[in-house]
Amino acid sequence: MKDINWYNYSLETQAIRAGHNRTHEDEHSMPIFATSSYVFKNAEEAALRFTGQTPGNIYSRFTNPTVSAFQERLAFMEKGERCLAFSSGMAAIMAVGMGLLKAGDHVVCSRSVFGNTVLLFQNYFGKFGVETDFVDLTNSEAWESAIKPNTRFLFLETPSNPLIEIADIELLATIAHKHDCLLIVDNVFCTPVLQKPLGLGADIVVHSATKYIDGQGRCIGGAVIAGNEVIEKSIYPYLRTGGATMSPFNAWVFLSGLETLAVRMKAHCDNAFKLAKWLEQQAGIAKVHYPGLQSHAQHELAKRQQSHFGGVVSFELNGGKDKAWKLIDATEMISITANLGDVKTTITHPATTTHGRLAPETRAAAGIKDGLVRVSVGLENIEDIKKDLLKGL
Ligand SMILES: *Cc1c(COP(=O)(O)O)cnc(C)c1O
């Protein structure tokens, strides 16, 4: 196979071709390497591989050719030096924390991150002497004033879940670096198709591959993308020891997910934009949260930072939880599930599901009201999606 430098190709091409190093069987499609271990030619070679003096596979907890293909492809797409895959998005975030933090360290985290991310920092890292302060995602002064001498990194999602707020990655990277901290961005909502945080100054990107990267709601997986040094020194040793490994089968599913990611994201964004504009005109809705709308507080920033506005729309119904549940239950086709990024449209009530385990004060501070409904807009015909929501409006 020709040795191609995929850095010279655009994302759509990398997504389809990068990462697969064809074997002696000349297969056209990436195979699943279902093997837990690898064989050495002799005892000396085994020893050299274990010390890292010669490259090569040892054991699939830390390297597997199918998983490596996924890692290489996603690294190219995010314009990062290295990528490591994990068994879930949470396992990827856990790996960043385990790799970079020690007792006595401090983290500044956006208040509007995935519910389990809040719990991971607060309850679990907290138990081992890492303190986390939560700040308003869009308030850059709050970020800077929360930084302490022992702050190791800033962590955020943009757009956020479920309020679809946008943070200025470039500005927060400047603030982080001024104080000798790293900036970590959870890029699940945008994927590298819409936004490349590393190019905007972020140091580490984390992913839940479970969402748009799979795109059809089949597998759980995650990834960390960063520079070679961070990966080698902090993340890879933890993966090798901690063992939250992505399975080769899941990597194979995610590889084919990446191949259609660019066309799917464009279609998700087109449908979501249409739905958001339509929702704004419906009665009984207090507010529609979508960065493509003029009414969105960071509309200009979203235009500058992202290539499109994303596939998730949320809106607040007048009438609180009762109205929200009624609307959700009145749908016929749309799936009531907390997952997102699927070709199927999904609907969820954040206050009692994804964010239900948060303390009511924490939830209120994050602005997640009882009337809030989140729709991850799928690829069905937009008129059918509108019709289904209209049943409960
Ligand atoms: C789902 C999700 C995660 C966690 O990923 P899992 O694969 O479910 O562990 C993290 N961040 C965001 C933004 C998510 O949507």
Side-chain angles (χ1 to χ4, degrees), residues 88 120 142 241 271 282 307 336 353 357:
S88 70
L120 178 67
T241 313
N271 262 0
Q282 306 308 305
S307 66
I336 305 173
T353 60
R357 280 194 288 159

Side-chain angles (χ1 to χ4, degrees), residues 7 71 74-76 78-86 96 100 182-185 197-199 202-207 223-236:
Y7 279 110
Q71 292 174 160
L74 187 56
F76 276 114
E78 283 284 0
K79 290 198 190 300
E81 287 176 354
R82 291 277 298 281
C83 168
L84 286 181
F86 290 88
V96 169
L100 294 176
L182 301 176
L183 179 69
I184 304 174
V185 176
L198 299 175
D203 301 283
I204 300 176
V205 163
V206 295
H207 267 292
V224 175
I225 302 102
N228 202 41
E229 200 188 320
V230 172
I231 294 284
E232 273 309 313
K233 263 175 52 186
S234 306
I235 314 294
Y236 176 74

Side-chain angles (χ1 to χ4, degrees), residues 326-336 345 347 380 384-392:
K326 217 171 259 171
L327 172 96
I328 291 168
D329 291 346
T331 59
E332 177 179 280
M333 162 194 82
I334 296 174
S335 317
I336 305 173
T345 298
I347 193 163
E380 304 96 339
D384 289 332
I385 300 171
K386 288 181 195 168
K387 247 191 276 174
D388 217 28
L389 288 171
L390 204 52
K391 291 191 175 83

